[in-house]
Amino acid sequence: MSSADETPGVGRETLANRIRDALVRRITSGAIEPGTRLVETAIAAEYGTSQAPVREALRALEAMRMVEVRPRRGTFVRPFIQQTLRESYVVRAALEETATRLAILSGSLPLDALHADIDAMRAAAESDDADASSAASVAFHRHIVEAAHNGLLLHSWEALQIGIRTSATIVAADLDLGAIADEHQELLVVLERGDLEEACERARDHQWHYADLPHDARGRAKDSPSGRVG
């Protein structure tokens, strides 16, 4: 058996995830340009596997809205992926700053749940599970947004497809999963302290960092990337 997905100890799902992650890095870096057609047979040959795990990887990319399937034509990379990723963090920063303000003012922050989310991030880091880290990060921020008790705000936040974009960021930037947990722990310390303005500023900066602009939310020049993720 020569196919990689048939190698003992290497499950098809694991291989599909590896192909997915490799394609995410290449798409977000621009190595695969917008409009490029992704051909299953060519990708399978490149990775030394059958088409089955490649097909699964492409389905995952479609769910992440990084590619689109055109009937009878094939699978193509969507345009403006890098730009929309960056823009989404600016919008998300504003939404989560507002959610943080509302949640603190109402005293409704679910601190126990936030601690549990960080525990899940640390467990994901120990097992080097990027998908689990992404899910725990999204859960952390969802708890804050839900605590704002503002349905329109929650709807707007969900419309940004936070889970998909967080996964793409973690994979594309090859982020340290332990650092992700540490960053959220720092944010939680500020939230527990209850300083309204400090917490709102931290919530905003936590997202703005990924907007990939030359300045922060206050117009100051940015330092080099620190490995944060939302």
Side-chain angles (χ1 to χ4, degrees), residues 65-153:
R65 295 188 59 78
M66 299 191 77
V67 302
E68 60 179 338
V69 177
R70 302 174 186 171
R72 296 183 296 279
R73 295 187 60 192
T75 302
F76 295 82
V77 176
R78 287 179 175 270
F80 310 121
I81 290 171
Q82 295 92 338
Q83 179 182 342
T84 56
L85 277 173
R86 296 163 186 163
E87 291 175 349
S88 72
Y89 280 108
V90 174
V91 176
R92 184 177 171 185
L95 293 174
E96 295 202 15
E97 178 183 2
T98 300
T100 299
R101 184 176 298 278
L102 293 173
I104 290 179
L105 287 173
S106 66
S108 56
L109 278 173
L111 297 177
D112 289 344
L114 296 177
H115 277 286
D117 294 332
I118 292 175
D119 289 342
M121 289 181 221
R122 296 206 183 282
E126 290 178 5
S127 60
D128 195 29
D129 189 336
D131 288 338
S133 177
S134 173
S137 171
V138 173
F140 180 96
H141 292 283
R142 174 178 287 278
H143 279 130
I144 295 173
V145 174
E146 289 178 339
H149 301 302
N150 184 305
L152 182 56
L153 193 157

Side-chain angles (χ1 to χ4, degrees), residues 16-17 19-25 27 32 38 43 54-69 75-78 81 164 168 171:
N17 288 347
I19 295 172
R20 175 203 66 191
D21 291 352
L23 291 173
V24 166
R25 291 189 183 95
I27 291 171
I32 299 179
L38 301 179
I43 297 172
V54 175
R55 193 171 298 119
E56 291 179 29
L58 293 180
R59 279 199 294 264
L61 291 182
E62 183 182 17
M64 295 170 71
R65 295 188 59 78
M66 299 191 77
V67 302
E68 60 179 338
V69 177
T75 302
F76 295 82
V77 176
R78 287 179 175 270
I81 290 171
I164 292 170
V171 171

Side-chain angles (χ1 to χ4, degrees), residues 177-223:
L177 302 186
I180 292 173
D182 291 342
E183 174 68 16
H184 285 81
Q185 180 66 57
E186 293 173 7
L187 177 56
L188 180 54
V189 168
V190 175
L191 293 173
E192 289 183 308
R193 197 152 55 224
D195 184 316
L196 182 62
E197 295 308 322
E198 181 185 9
C200 289
E201 180 177 314
R202 179 61 70 91
R204 179 186 65 228
D205 289 351
H206 187 72
Q207 304 303 330
W208 192 279
H209 175 84
Y210 287 93
D212 197 25
L213 297 173
H215 50 77
D216 64 17
R218 289 165 297 286
R220 301 179 302 201
K222 276 187 176 179
D223 296 326

